[in-house]
Amino acid sequence: DARVTQTPRHKVTEMGQEVTMRCQPILGHNTVFWYRQTMMQGLELLAYFRNRAPLDDSGMPKDRFSAEMPDATLATLKIQPSEPRDSAVYFCASGLVRVRDEQFFGPGTRLTVL
Amino acid sequence: AQTVTQSQPEMSVQEAETVTLSCTYDTSENNYYLFWYKQPPSRQMILVIRQEAYKQQNATENRFSVNFQKAAKSFSLKISDSQLGDTAMYFCALRRGGAQKLVFGQGTRLTINP
């Protein structure tokens, strides 16, 4: 049963600390997305990759956020330094372009920045 | 710019009833895709149904069906014979053809009562 996995599931940290969230996309998927969900803004796309190359990160605050795919089995989203307004649920999703175009979501990382 | 609007923040029905969730969208594209995602309390985002804009026939997946009105830019979801497990947040989403970015509505919280 192929699925997207994310770690950690929950993270509580203090303002100013570095946070790293990890995602393992479904094997064989060539597109990876990072979304953020908050009560106020809903679901927003932060960045996405195709074949490990960043295609669009316009939704991501560049000064503190960074997203990478060191290899095809791992995507990371890093926040440094973290701020209370970063508290949200961060979802990773993966897909295979031109094959039903469906995005499969991971369970999310709930981040709380105190 | 693309926008998706869900005008019903919350809905509640009795088990076995039929319920319809509303979604309107705006896009200048002619080639696009529409989706309904379900987010139960577990937070997992699950694709319920998808519709290609070029298809006139409304998509159906078991108890779930859509009413796609392209001219009116309306994409409602009908759940027949509702079940307790249908209780969740439902998000309508739009993706233009050739792009990967999903634009989500604010969601409708659906509660199925026993």
Side-chain angles (χ1 to χ4, degrees), chain B:
Chain B
Q2 300 169 96
T3 59
V4 176
T5 302
Q6 294 178 249
S7 58
Q8 305 151 312
E10 293 189 32
M11 294 188 72
S12 178
V13 298
Q14 296 298 119
E15 192 176 6
E17 289 184 346
T18 294
V19 59
T20 299
L21 309 183
S22 301
C23 172
T24 58
Y25 60 93
D26 191 24
T27 179
S28 57
E29 303 285 331
N30 201 41
N31 179 26
Y32 55 90
Y33 301 82
L34 293 159
F35 306 84
W36 277 99
Y37 278 88
K38 168 185 177 180
Q39 186 179 37
S42 66
R43 288 204 317 255
Q44 184 75 50
M45 293 285 288
I46 303 163
L47 178 66
V48 175
I49 200 165
R50 70 194 294 269
Q51 173 82 41
E52 294 89 342
Y54 62 84
K55 289 187 177 179
Q56 291 187 333
Q57 187 173 6
N58 288 325
T60 299
E61 290 285 345
N62 301 314
R63 297 182 295 107
F64 299 87
S65 61
V66 298
N67 183 5
F68 175 46
Q69 301 289 326
K70 190 171 184 178
K73 294 183 177 176
S74 169
F75 183 61
S76 61
L77 174 70
K78 186 172 84 170
I79 306 174
S80 303
D81 186 26
S82 58
Q83 300 174 357
L84 297 179
D86 297 333
T87 292
M89 282 288 286
Y90 286 81
F91 293 93
C92 180
L94 165 71
R95 182 178 70 77
R96 66 179 176 87
Q100 293 300 311
K101 178 179 178 178
L102 279 172
V103 177
F104 286 90
Q106 287 297 98
T108 296
R109 183 176 302 279
L110 175 65
T111 301
I112 309 300
N113 298 308

Side-chain angles (χ1 to χ4, degrees), chain A residues 56-105:
Chain A
D56 185 350
D57 60 3
S58 59
M60 203 165 65
K62 303 290 192 304
D63 55 339
R64 299 181 300 107
F65 284 62
S66 62
E68 296 179 347
M69 275 201 78
D71 61 62
T73 64
L74 177 65
T76 62
L77 180 66
K78 193 172 294 186
I79 308 174
Q80 168 63 23
S82 57
E83 298 180 1
R85 59 180 168 151
D86 301 329
S87 296
V89 180
Y90 291 81
F91 287 100
C92 174
S94 72
L96 191 57
V97 175
R98 295 196 178 89
V99 178
R100 287 188 56 81
D101 296 306
E102 180 177 344
Q103 295 181 22
F104 294 82
F105 282 75

